[in-house]
Amino acid sequence: MSRTTSFDDSDIGPAIYALIERLFPICRSITGDGVRRTLDILGEHIALERHEVPTGTPVFDWIVPPEWNIRDAYIKGPDGRKIVDFRKSNLHVVSYSTPVRARLSLAELLPHLHSLPEHPDWIPYRTAYYNPDWGFCLAHRQRESLTEGEYEVVIDSELKDGALSYAECRVPGARDDEVLVFAHICHPSLCNDNLSGIGIAVQLAKFLASAPRVYSYRFVFAPATIGSITWLSRNESRLGKVKHGLVAAVLGDPGMLHYKKSRQGDAEIDRAVQCALRDRGTGFKVLEFSPWGYDERQFGSPGIALPVGRLTRTPNGCYPEYHSSADDLSLVRPEFLADSFHAYVEVFAILERNRCYRNLSPKGEPQLGRRGLYRKTGGQQDIPDRELALLWVLNQSDGGHSLLDIAERSGLAFASVAAAARDLEAAGLLAPVSGG
Ligand code: ZN
């Protein structure tokens, strides 16, 4: 994106993967020490501003919930052996489970057990936010093998007044206007859903800080839903600075990139992402906005209405490993993480460079050959993209069409259009429109 960058992205995939590996074992939830430990680790990579919002704080129509922490949990079978052990997988406990110590019959235990009949060896990921309950998740095969008898269940958890933790990293640019990237941080040992977005956001923040930028960039690491709502409610007075935004998640699987449009549907971020994906020449899909999915629905609520889309690979819920123990370190791969990282970088490159120009010689085409901008011999059938881009930029630059407009209308790569504008400006044929 910048020729002066000091950022080395040759090992970006392995670097993101290494961070995911380190974060993977931590038991995260919407609040608690797992979130804090996660933010501690992110803080080793990028400068974070940390926030602790006390339990009970009203945030729009919600209230920051009690803080949840867990030390241990298990089920012992009728023979006294541990058959389900939180220490082996934190997915075994329904997140936010209330504490319990009890001896139960199989019939009493079964309603508290969750499994996936269609994937009998995977442990599901389940939560009990905002509705006090407890439960265990286990492989369906194991659940089916349970016999009559007395079971001992222990969940050594705690729900008490504490705080909701989140963090921000702001990378300042020439303008105060911001590009927002939101990554949720509330999932326990799950890689694609949660950790891939976190890992890519961290590397993007590092990358953006490595060279001067036009926009300022703000990365928000917060729990899903309650975290984005908390952030929005605490930043309402400055939301006008957010000009573009993306929700980053599920970015490490082998599926193709999917862009979900903002609520507006035709915001600059929507068009920039689609142009960047088109220019990559690899497959991608565009999804219309819906008030479902990740935090794009909070940013796109009618009283907020920020232009925030969502750039993922296979969308949440559309891959079988989603919200299960199979969303592990084998599902995400460094090459896909690197590919997703580059897609974000290419989107930012368009946002950074997009603006309107005015043709300073608008009566007929200016003579480009004389200025060394056009080939010397004429008559060829095919005109090179570079020259086509010069003609398009000159033709459309009446002060009202941006480089993104021109890239869309011409079908030419944004990078070609931007390079043509640079050359024409250098030749004195084009001038940027202030505020364009
Ligand atoms: Zn999820």
Side-chain angles (χ1 to χ4, degrees):
M1 170 152 130
S2 166
R3 287 179 301 279
T4 57
T5 183
S6 59
F7 188 86
D8 175 13
D9 70 0
S10 56
D11 265 335
I12 194 71
I16 298 167
Y17 190 83
L19 180 57
I20 290 174
E21 264 185 311
R22 200 166 156 214
L23 296 170
F24 183 70
I26 299 172
C27 183
R28 280 163 292 268
S29 185
I30 50 174
T31 59
D33 289 333
V35 176
R36 291 192 189 96
R37 267 203 300 286
T38 298
L39 296 176
D40 289 345
I41 292 171
L42 304 191
E44 295 172 15
H45 293 263
I46 52 176
L48 287 182
E49 188 185 313
R50 305 269 297 255
H51 304 270
E52 295 281 330
V53 185
T55 300
T57 305
V59 287
F60 294 145
D61 195 47
W62 298 58
I63 292 169
V64 172
E67 182 177 324
W68 185 72
N69 283 295
I70 180 163
R71 283 172 290 271
D72 195 11
Y74 56 83
I75 303 174
K76 280 185 181 171
D79 62 358
R81 285 193 309 126
K82 266 188 199 174
I83 54 169
V84 172
D85 188 352
F86 169 77
R87 289 166 196 251
K88 290 194 177 146
S89 168
N90 55 38
L91 297 178
H92 276 314
V93 173
V94 172
S95 188
Y96 249 64
S97 280
T98 51
V100 60
R101 280 178 196 277
R103 291 184 171 275
L104 303 173
S105 68
L106 181 61
E108 289 167 321
L109 177 62
L110 281 175
H112 292 280
L113 301 185
H114 306 268
S115 63
L116 295 169
E118 62 278 27
H119 296 289
D121 294 315
W122 298 354
I123 306 164
Y125 162 58
R126 295 287 178 267
T127 65
Y129 304 145
Y130 317 113
N131 181 26
D133 196 5
W134 63 267
F136 284 89
C137 302
L138 72 170
H140 191 68
R141 212 178 290 287
Q142 187 182 16
R143 177 183 172 152
E144 293 289 279
S145 72
L146 298 180
T147 54
E148 292 295 337
E150 193 183 61
Y151 289 81
E152 181 190 353
V153 296
V154 171
I155 298 181
D156 185 9
S157 67
E158 180 175 77
L159 279 157
K160 61 171 194 186
D161 283 358
L164 177 148
S165 316
Y166 73 92
E168 299 175 80
C169 170
R170 185 172 183 274
V171 182
R175 278 158 61 175
D176 236 11
D177 291 343
E178 289 183 358
V179 179
L180 175 77
V181 177
F182 183 91
H184 62 274
I185 54 166
C186 50
H187 290 31
S189 294
L190 296 169
C191 277
N192 201 31
D193 182 7
N194 198 154
L195 295 180
S196 66
I198 295 170
I200 281 175
V202 166
Q203 290 298 335
L204 286 171
K206 276 193 192 175
F207 165 75
L208 291 163
S210 68
R213 307 290 166 193
V214 174
Y215 282 106
S216 297
Y217 288 78
R218 183 177 297 275
F219 293 82
V220 178
F221 301 92
T225 309
I226 187 69
S228 55
I229 288 171
T230 299
W231 184 83
L232 285 165
S233 80
R234 286 163 59 94
N235 290 277
E236 197 175 359
S237 63
R238 46 169 308 284
L239 294 181
K241 290 193 193 308
V242 178
K243 301 303 177 192
H244 319 283
L246 288 171
V247 169
V250 283
L251 289 164
D253 66 280
M256 67 169 70
L257 286 160
H258 281 67
Y259 178 64
K260 177 176 165 182
K261 292 181 190 176
S262 73
R263 180 172 181 266
Q264 289 88 323
D266 60 351
E268 191 176 343
I269 186 65
D270 298 314
R271 297 172 52 211
V273 176
Q274 291 177 81
C275 185
L277 296 179
R278 179 200 74 176
D279 289 355
R280 311 190 97 216
T282 52
F284 68 95
K285 276 195 178 137
V286 175
L287 308 169
E288 294 300 323
F289 178 80
S290 63
W292 178 243
Y294 290 132
D295 294 277
E296 62 276 7
R297 63 190 203 259
Q298 312 308 336
F299 297 109
S301 54
I304 302 293
L306 286 177
V308 176
R310 187 189 77 190
L311 183 54
T312 66
R313 298 190 80 85
T314 308
N316 52 306
C318 299
Y319 56 99
E321 301 89 347
Y322 174 74
H323 281 189
S324 85
S325 57
D327 183 353
D328 63 8
L329 289 162
S330 66
L331 178 66
V332 298
R333 302 307 315 156
E335 59 268 34
F336 306 125
L337 293 163
D339 184 66
S340 302
F341 171 86
H342 287 120
Y344 271 80
V345 168
E346 289 151 25
V347 171
F348 296 155
I350 292 177
L351 295 175
E352 288 278 308
R353 189 67 183 84
N354 190 33
R355 63 183 312 165
C356 295
Y357 288 87
R358 187 174 295 284
N359 180 343
L360 300 177
S361 179
K363 296 180 180 172
E365 281 175 5
Q367 201 184 353
L368 297 175
R370 166 152 66 85
R371 297 175 171 90
L373 291 170
Y374 214 74
R375 76 205 118 116
K376 294 196 170 61
T377 51
Q380 293 93 331
Q381 279 292 329
D382 297 324
I383 173 167
D385 267 9
R386 181 180 170 276
E387 291 176 8
L388 207 49
L390 293 170
L391 299 178
W392 270 107
V393 172
L394 284 168
N395 181 277
Q396 296 290 299
S397 290
D398 52 10
H401 294 100
S402 69
L403 297 184
L404 185 52
D405 292 330
I406 299 170
E408 286 175 343
R409 185 163 182 186
S410 67
L412 295 166
F414 183 89
S416 305
V417 170
R422 182 194 64 216
D423 292 349
L424 290 165
E425 191 179 0
L429 289 170
L430 210 61
V433 176
S434 59

